[in-house]
Structures are given as C-alpha cells and as structure tokens.
Amino acid sequence: MSLLRQPILLLARSEAVKKLVSTMPVSSGIVTSYVPGEGTEAAVEATARLVDDGLTVTLDYLGEDTLDAAQADATVAAYLDVLQALSSRGLARNAEVSVKLSAIGQALPDGGHKIALDNARTICRAARNAGTTVTLDMEDHTTTDSTLQILAELRRDFPETGAVLQAYLHRTEDDCRRLAHEGSRVRLCKGAYNEPESVAFQDKLDVDKSYVRCMKVLLQGDGYPMLATHDPRMIAIGRSIASDTGRARGSYEFQMLYGIRPEEQKRLAGEGESMRVYIPYGLEWYGYLMRRLAERPQNLSFFVKSLISKK
C-alpha cells in the first residue's frame, strides 16, 4: 500500500483529478470527512457541531508558501471574516485560529518577515476583539527562527499568541524549555515535513522519545501545553505525566485533526480532558486532502477503488 502514496501525492497537482474527486459521490464523502468546505460558512458550521459535542476548535485557512502579496492579503481577509463569524455566532470562546506565516507573506522575497509580522498583528488584533486567540503554525525548519522571532514580537502586545514546536527537530527540547513559562501556550506535534538528518530525528522511535521528553518539559513547566497527537500511547503517557506533575484538567489540552479519530476525541472530552479539533478549510483543500489520504492506507484503498469504478 505504501507504494501508492507517492502517486497519490503526485495527483495532488492535477486540477482534472481535483474536479473528479470533488464530484464523485464516494470521494466527496472522503473530502468532507477531512475538510468541511472552502468557505467561512462551512468552517463555522463544523465548529458549531464540534462545540455542541463538548470540543473546542482551531481553524486553519489552508495555504502556505505564498509568493504573491495579493494572495497574502486575501488570506488575512479570510481570517478576519471567520473571526467575525465566530464572534457573531457566539463561538469565539471555544474556537481560535491557526495561522501559517508563509501564507501571510513570510515567504515573499522582499520584506517577507515584516509583512508576515504586520499581517499577523492584524489577525491577532481581530482575534482579541472577537474574544479569542491565534496560534502560529510551525513549518519547515528553515523558517523556525523567523517564526519564533515573530512570535516573540507578537507576544509583546498579544501575550496570548500560541506557539507550535515539532518534536522531530533536534532543537525542540531546548525550545520547549524556553517557552514553558507562565502564560505561554505551546502546541507540541511530532512534525510533518521532510527534514534532513542534520536537523531532525529520522527514526520513528527517536521521534517518539523526543515527543515524550518535550511533553515532560512542557507539563512540568508553567505554561499551557497543547499536546497534538493521535497516537494512543502518547495520549496515555501525556495523561500520566500530567497526573504525576499535579496538572489539573483544563491546564493543558489535547489536539487532533478534524476527521481523525472523532470518537476518541469525544471520549477524551467526555472524560473531562480539554480536547481541541484542528479544522482546515479553504480553496487549497485538495493538496491537504491528498496528504491525508496518503497517510492512511485504508483511505487510499477506498479512494483507488473509487477511481477504478468511475472509469
């Protein structure tokens, strides 16, 4: 099944296949399983459903590596729109937004750092006015220092701004120590980019060990850890560390992707854990969907059978 992953990822570039996927009944079901839609209304409706189930949400308007200033501006506008909608629906208390800096100008060749900082400030201000917060997503390792610098600058005026750290990077345990202070919200994930051995652990076991070490640092610190994982072992270890360190429920949270282990999300929430769901939406849903399909063999099989039956 792993042999199919690369071809599926290559299909992510095809507009023709995108049209086919979005119109086929079977694959349309797969689409909505992972991405609620392209616009604000669909994202907010999905948020409302999850909040009704006792979950909290973070919304990501899909897009990254933007090299067009107009597109960066459009992304900022999309965030302002969804924040207004969340506020109008009374959902802002239970829903924040996640922002990739490369989607709002960080990758622009002329003054990208400042453009991204200014755009992030605009989003942070709108989030505060709506009654919620922003978390800065982390991307590949070449942007880590720039992202943490922008985080530090934003936190001067918006100390509630959340950070993301990736456990597969060698540096992350030290970054956790620096960010595990009072008032600091930090999402810990394993990491999803193809990084070189010089900066990242390559073996899954080494990544898992790093994740546990980083969890310990964050849970023993004074900040607010956000443990992003679908791995049952990591969840169990995180809960154990939280208990051992005297962490009260509500002083940390777990996070999972929309459509991944939804029953486990509800179970954790039902047991009193704070459980946040990461909802991606927007026009760039296709590449995101194909990456999710490539990660899950059972969905790959379902998808390929759908394509065959369509011919």
Side-chain angles (χ1 to χ4, degrees), residues 200-257:
F201 299 108
Q202 304 297 304
D203 185 79
K204 182 181 182 301
L205 180 59
D206 289 333
V207 175
D208 286 350
K209 289 178 178 178
S210 177
Y211 194 92
V212 172
R213 292 194 300 271
C214 292
M215 276 199 296
K216 286 181 178 178
V217 171
L218 293 174
L219 287 165
Q220 291 170 356
D222 296 320
Y224 181 81
M226 303 180 287
L227 309 178
T229 179
H230 306 103
D231 187 334
R233 294 176 307 145
M234 294 299 109
I235 293 170
I237 292 170
R239 297 181 82 179
S240 177
I241 296 171
S243 177
D244 291 344
T245 56
R247 278 268 180 180
R249 286 177 176 173
S251 68
Y252 64 95
E253 68 182 43
F254 290 100
Q255 297 189 358
M256 294 187 194
L257 294 171

Side-chain angles (χ1 to χ4, degrees), residues 70-93:
Q71 180 57 47
D73 291 342
T75 298
V76 174
Y79 276 109
L80 301 187
D81 187 52
V82 79
L83 286 164
Q84 177 60 45
L86 291 172
S87 179
S88 297
R89 289 282 299 271
L91 295 168
R93 179 183 174 191

Side-chain angles (χ1 to χ4, degrees), residues 62-217:
L62 291 167
E64 56 190 285
D65 298 329
T66 297
L67 296 175
D68 180 80
Q71 180 57 47
D73 291 342
T75 298
V76 174
Y79 276 109
L80 301 187
D81 187 52
V82 79
L83 286 164
Q84 177 60 45
L86 291 172
S87 179
S88 297
R89 289 282 299 271
L91 295 168
R93 179 183 174 191
N94 294 300
E96 63 148 33
V97 295
S98 290
V99 179
K100 286 182 172 61
L101 291 175
S102 76
I104 58 170
Q106 187 183 40
L108 292 173
D110 187 16
H113 181 96
K114 184 179 185 305
I115 292 169
L117 174 59
D118 291 344
N119 283 335
R121 277 202 181 105
T122 298
I123 297 171
C124 285
R125 188 175 300 109
R128 178 179 285 178
N129 290 340
T132 188
T133 55
V134 174
T135 292
L136 299 184
D137 278 337
M138 191 62 76
E139 301 178 67
D140 75 86
H141 80 279
T142 65
T143 67
T144 301
D145 285 332
S146 172
T147 298
L148 291 178
Q149 288 167 14
I150 289 175
L151 173 74
E153 293 180 70
L154 287 172
R155 281 184 168 181
R156 293 173 187 169
D157 296 319
F158 305 98
E160 66 273 20
T161 305
V164 176
L165 296 174
Q166 301 173 110
Y168 67 173
L169 295 181
H170 298 153
R171 63 177 287 171
T172 298
E173 192 173 349
D174 287 336
D175 287 333
C176 284
R177 291 191 180 94
R178 283 189 286 271
L179 289 173
H181 55 80
E182 186 175 356
S184 177
R185 298 188 309 117
V186 180
R187 178 194 301 152
L188 178 67
C189 61
K190 289 185 179 179
Y193 293 83
N194 185 21
E195 302 284 19
E197 187 175 359
S198 58
V199 300
F201 299 108
Q202 304 297 304
D203 185 79
K204 182 181 182 301
L205 180 59
D206 289 333
V207 175
D208 286 350
K209 289 178 178 178
S210 177
Y211 194 92
V212 172
R213 292 194 300 271
C214 292
M215 276 199 296
K216 286 181 178 178
V217 171

Side-chain angles (χ1 to χ4, degrees), residues 228-295:
T229 179
H230 306 103
D231 187 334
R233 294 176 307 145
M234 294 299 109
I235 293 170
I237 292 170
R239 297 181 82 179
S240 177
I241 296 171
S243 177
D244 291 344
T245 56
R247 278 268 180 180
R249 286 177 176 173
S251 68
Y252 64 95
E253 68 182 43
F254 290 100
Q255 297 189 358
M256 294 187 194
L257 294 171
Y258 182 77
I260 307 291
R261 306 191 72 203
E263 293 307 313
E264 176 67 1
Q265 295 171 11
K266 294 177 186 177
R267 185 186 73 82
L268 287 169
E271 292 180 357
E273 298 287 2
S274 297
M275 180 73 239
R276 189 176 301 275
V277 182
Y278 188 104
I279 298 181
Y281 74 103
L283 298 174
E284 299 299 319
W285 62 264
Y286 181 63
Y288 174 88
L289 170 69
M290 299 301 268
R291 289 193 295 273
R292 298 290 80 78
L293 289 173
E295 289 170 0

